[in-house]
Amino acid sequence: MVFLDFEQPLESLYEQLEKIQQVGEEGDVDVSEMVRELDNKIRNKRKEIYSNLTGWQKVQLSRHPERPYTLYYISQMCRKFTELHGDRCLRDDKAIVGGLGSLDGQTVMIIGHQKGVNTKMRQYRNFGMANPEGYRKALRLMKMAERFGFPVVTLIDTPGASPGLEAEEHGQAEAIARNLFEMAQLRVPIVCVVIGEGASGGAIGIGLGDRVYMLEYTWYSVISPESCSSILWRSWDFKEQAAEALKLTADHMFEFGLIDGIIREPVGGAHSAPEEMAKLLKRQIKKAISEVQDMTPDERIEARINKYASMGVFDVRPSEVEGKE
Amino acid sequence: MGWFKRLKDGIQTATRNKKEAPEGLWYMCSNCKETSTMKELKENFYKCPHCNYHVRIGSYDYFDLIFDGNYEELYEELVSRDFMNFTDLKPYTERLEEAWKKTGLGDAISVAKGKVNRRPLVIAAMDFKFIGGSMGSVVGEKIARAIDHCLENRIPLMVISKSGGARMMESAFSLMQMAKTSAKLTQLARAGIPYFSFLTDPTTGGVTASFAMLGDINFAEPGCLIGFAGPRVIKETIKRDLPEGFQTAEFLLEHGFLDFIVDRKDLKETVSDLLYFFDSN
């Protein structure tokens, strides 16, 4: 088990538990009472810790090394899944995966960022940072889904689009912009869920949809707290403050009306009960698809565009002279 | 051979000790370091008379360069609001106050309607000096409203991008402007109204990754910086120097992301030609 810094009290409780269990196994002492007591303590402590998480702690949870990623959720949610590779142009990006899946009999196109589960795989997946080819693969799959009337489901989990020489040469900006443009007018339902990190253009590049949700311990922002700290505070040390200032948690995003709902995670986070998390995720995705499936494509597109058009907060100055003086 | 050897490269003076030369008389080119008078510069379309470097100019300068005389400004009543109580080293409200005072602008974009060789056009032009030309709710809303205006009156749209990217102080709201502007542009495309995207120095981040790359025609000023990630970020990531000319307009043209590059002195004629082509139907 990996414990985050704010979970330290839990770690020592777990250590105690382990010791007691060892004693129980070795001798004839009955430890069941003590084990039960400790279990209770752990449960309460965990509840206590998880009911007061700061923005930064949620960011840490979203990056938890044991957190489930896209392919895990797909394997849990879909009885059948066939991964489809490549952008038909240059290569197959490993940081975005996609394919045809079946959600209880309903064929869907599932696309998502994929992070690696160990050091080697993290490199292979480029830490979930997609190149233009990844966004173009996603678009190819979405256009295919459109041709055959399959709803599109996207799972977002990226620290950002890949910054690099090749990414720029191949048009990272164009690839993301094109996806936004095409997703806005895609004729099939689109449901997006932030399952981990939702950083900036890299996230929204597969994140424009009829319904957008966030898991409870995820974040969505125009910039990562670290980069924000380095630019605005001119130092890497203010990530906690930046995380608070950016108001990047699911609760904030829902309060601002920028997402359609929050999918609650099991106490202890998605990684502590991944199967349960996958069930909750699947239920919400199915519900969301059924909510928008009965609209005509034109109605759906209009509603989608209007939803995004209404996002923004500004003031209207009564007269020009007043404001500028 | 000089008597003195420069031991340290680059500018050593702290920003706060920088001495501002009085504006309005002389211009020293930041590219070739040659000086010229402001008058010469202005007559040369704000390009350095010595090296043709295109000096960064503001939205109103572009309106003057492109429109036939008069134009009508639209939506200038929209201004930013510190909805999230964002404070870094300075509160966002303070940054806004400063920007309003310093620039006299309402926000990082201005929209105007006018005529180019007698053909109507709506231009939304960005200003870099207003918080780095960053895109917040107001930039998104003004573009959205400009699109609505173009749809209602069947007028082509031109957006002049000049931006460091998203406005961090509006966090997710600024991110959503990427989706908002891109989604609105689909309506223009569907209605068959042309959209010209003109990229100027610099165009980076969320602006490039949304409306700036979505023109029916994408064109740019010579030598300008265009990219998704900033050059400094890329350099830090790959840990080596960037190739010369990386992320310039010429680089993007070579890689197929621009239709052409246009010298500022030919800008009006180019826009006029585009309007002519799209108007004949």
Side-chain angles (χ1 to χ4, degrees):
Chain A
M1 244 187 281
V2 178
F3 291 95
L4 300 170
D5 53 6
F6 60 89
E7 290 178 314
Q8 289 314 315
L10 283 178
E11 188 171 10
S12 58
L13 285 175
Y14 269 106
E15 269 167 20
Q16 283 178 41
L17 184 67
E18 219 167 274
K19 269 182 210 150
I20 290 166
Q21 277 168 338
Q22 230 168 20
V23 171
E25 275 164 27
E26 281 165 7
D28 324 314
V29 197
D30 182 19
V31 292
S32 58
E33 184 65 26
M34 284 166 83
V35 168
R36 206 171 315 126
E37 214 172 277
L38 259 174
D39 267 338
N40 259 334
K41 237 187 197 168
I42 287 172
R43 204 169 312 131
N44 288 335
K45 192 82 207 161
R46 181 173 272 153
K47 240 185 218 159
E48 185 194 317
I49 293 172
Y50 274 75
S51 58
N52 290 305
L53 292 175
T54 66
W56 175 247
Q57 286 166 342
K58 287 183 186 174
V59 172
Q60 286 176 287
L61 274 171
S62 78
R63 297 169 176 165
H64 197 287
E66 287 163 352
R67 203 172 165 84
Y69 302 135
T70 294
L71 285 173
Y72 174 80
Y73 286 125
I74 291 176
S75 72
Q76 291 291 308
M77 295 193 299
C78 301
R79 202 170 54 82
K80 283 174 183 297
F81 175 71
T82 300
E83 191 178 344
L84 304 173
H85 295 273
D87 66 349
R88 295 294 187 271
C89 193
L90 201 62
R91 65 163 69 99
D92 182 48
D93 192 296
K94 305 298 189 291
I96 287 184
V97 295
L100 290 166
S102 171
L103 279 183
D104 298 335
Q106 157 91 70
T107 301
V108 292
M109 187 65 82
I110 306 193
I111 298 162
H113 298 102
Q114 180 65 35
K115 293 179 176 171
V117 291
N118 53 41
T119 310
K120 200 176 155 199
M121 288 307 282
R122 273 188 269 278
Q123 260 173 358
Y124 177 74
R125 299 288 183 189
N126 198 23
F127 308 93
M129 298 189 293
N131 278 296
E133 298 78 52
Y135 294 100
R136 291 185 182 125
K137 168 166 72 177
L139 181 58
R140 175 177 81 85
L141 300 184
M142 287 189 266
K143 296 298 271 185
M144 189 204 301
E146 183 180 48
R147 276 199 297 286
F148 297 99
F150 305 142
V152 171
V153 175
T154 72
L155 302 179
I156 296 161
D157 187 8
T158 181
S162 176
L165 291 177
E166 277 204 340
E168 295 291 321
E169 267 172 25
H170 299 165
Q172 187 72 283
E174 194 274 346
I176 291 171
R178 185 66 47 204
N179 278 16
L180 294 173
F181 188 81
E182 294 297 342
M183 289 178 93
Q185 53 182 346
L186 204 74
R187 297 185 71 73
V188 290
I190 306 175
V191 177
C192 312
V193 186
V194 181
I195 58 166
E197 300 185 86
S200 195
I204 204 162
I206 56 165
L208 192 157
D210 300 300
R211 293 285 187 277
V212 180
Y213 302 97
M214 288 172 74
L215 300 194
E216 189 175 2
Y217 305 130
T218 63
W219 59 277
Y220 204 168
S221 164
V222 72
I223 189 166
S224 73
E226 287 91 340
S227 306
C228 180
S229 162
S230 90
I231 296 172
L232 290 181
W233 277 266
R234 298 190 187 110
S235 144
W236 292 95
D237 305 333
F238 295 86
K239 49 189 193 287
E240 285 94 346
Q241 282 98 317
E244 293 307 315
L246 286 167
K247 298 200 165 54
L248 42 62
T249 64
D251 290 324
H252 282 124
M253 291 292 287
F254 185 60
E255 185 194 317
F256 294 149
L258 299 178
I259 58 167
D260 299 286
I262 301 169
I263 305 173
R264 294 288 160 199
E265 293 190 23
V267 178
H271 60 279
S272 67
E275 281 177 35
E276 192 190 334
M277 188 70 253
K279 274 192 195 123
L280 295 168
L281 178 63
K282 180 177 177 178
R283 191 161 62 193
Q284 188 61 50
I285 290 171
K286 283 181 67 181
K287 186 162 162 272
I289 292 174
S290 70
E291 275 172 24
V292 293
Q293 209 161 25
D294 293 336
M295 301 165 92
T296 67
D298 285 331
E299 282 171 353
R300 204 162 37 226
I301 291 167
E302 194 189 337
R304 193 185 295 155
I305 294 175
N306 287 343
K307 178 177 91 165
Y308 283 96
S310 72
M311 289 180 185
V313 179
F314 46 86
D315 276 335
V316 179
R317 263 182 200 164
S319 83
E320 202 207 335
V321 185
E322 227 183 76
K324 280 191 184 170
E325 288 308 300
Chain B
M1 192 158 352
W3 284 13
F4 301 102
K5 193 167 177 233
R6 191 177 194 139
L7 293 171
K8 291 177 185 171
D9 277 335
I11 298 161
Q12 302 295 317
T13 318
T15 311
R16 61 176 181 283
N17 297 328
K18 203 170 103 182
K19 304 244 184 335
E20 292 287 345
E23 277 181 39
L25 205 56
W26 291 95
Y27 166 75
M28 186 171 92
C29 179
S30 54
N31 186 45
C32 70
K33 314 285 178 212
E34 292 282 341
T35 46
S36 46
T37 66
M38 284 304 283
K39 191 163 163 282
E40 282 172 335
L41 187 72
K42 201 175 166 186
E43 280 166 0
N44 197 36
F45 303 90
Y46 301 99
K47 301 182 300 170
C48 173
H50 305 278
C51 70
N52 204 33
Y53 171 75
H54 285 54
V55 177
R56 277 183 195 168
I57 55 174
S59 53
Y60 294 93
D61 301 321
Y62 281 111
F63 296 156
D64 289 336
L65 281 173
I66 299 170
F67 286 131
D68 307 337
N70 290 342
Y71 57 85
E72 180 196 347
E73 190 171 352
L74 303 170
Y75 322 120
E76 49 188 326
E77 67 278 11
L78 303 184
V79 290
S80 294
R81 185 171 134 202
D82 180 21
F83 176 71
M84 320 228 309
N85 288 319
F86 192 98
T87 300
D88 46 275
L89 294 174
K90 236 187 248 180
Y92 180 35
T93 44
E94 220 169 276
R95 283 184 195 272
L96 282 173
E97 289 291 343
E98 272 175 27
W100 283 322
K101 214 179 269 176
K102 201 179 85 190
T103 65
L105 297 163
D107 209 272
I109 199 166
S110 306
V111 181
K113 183 170 88 166
K115 298 211 161 146
V116 185
N117 292 339
R118 297 189 303 283
R119 285 195 176 79
L121 176 69
V122 171
I123 302 180
M126 303 189 77
D127 280 285
F128 192 74
K129 59 183 174 177
F130 195 98
I131 318 187
S134 53
M135 169 162 68
S137 295
V138 170
V139 170
E141 182 68 15
K142 279 194 177 181
I143 289 177
R145 289 194 190 192
I147 289 168
D148 284 335
H149 187 92
C150 292
L151 282 168
E152 265 167 49
N153 301 286
R154 294 203 65 84
I155 301 175
L157 174 71
M158 174 174 177
V159 175
I160 303 178
S161 297
K162 190 183 273 300
S163 169
R167 191 169 297 169
M168 275 174 278
M169 300 76 133
E170 293 188 25
S171 191
F173 277 93
S174 77
L175 181 64
M176 293 304 157
Q177 303 312 308
M178 292 171 65
K180 174 171 172 170
T181 52
S182 306
K184 288 296 290 182
L185 281 172
T186 62
Q187 297 182 323
L188 216 52
R190 205 182 246 208
I193 296 170
Y195 162 48
F196 310 132
S197 174
F198 185 49
L199 294 83
T200 68
D201 191 62
T203 301
T204 59
V207 167
T208 324
S210 58
F211 56 85
M213 274 293 154
L214 292 173
D216 294 302
I217 308 285
N218 292 338
F219 60 127
E221 280 188 346
C224 68
L225 173 79
I226 303 169
F228 175 67
R232 195 172 54 91
V233 175
I234 299 172
K235 210 171 145 177
E236 277 170 18
T237 309
I238 63 170
K239 295 185 174 63
R240 60 190 155 101
D241 283 337
L242 301 176
E244 202 173 326
F246 183 65
Q247 292 186 316
T248 58
E250 291 74 14
F251 176 89
L252 268 90
L253 182 71
E254 194 52 39
H255 285 89
F257 295 100
L258 293 177
D259 288 287
F260 53 85
I261 293 170
V262 63
D263 190 288
R264 205 179 274 157
K265 79 170 162 34
D266 304 321
L267 180 58
K268 177 165 180 160
E269 205 187 319
T270 302
V271 174
S272 173
D273 284 352
L274 289 176
L275 291 173
Y276 168 80
F277 291 132
F278 285 91
D279 197 25
S280 63
N281 292 336

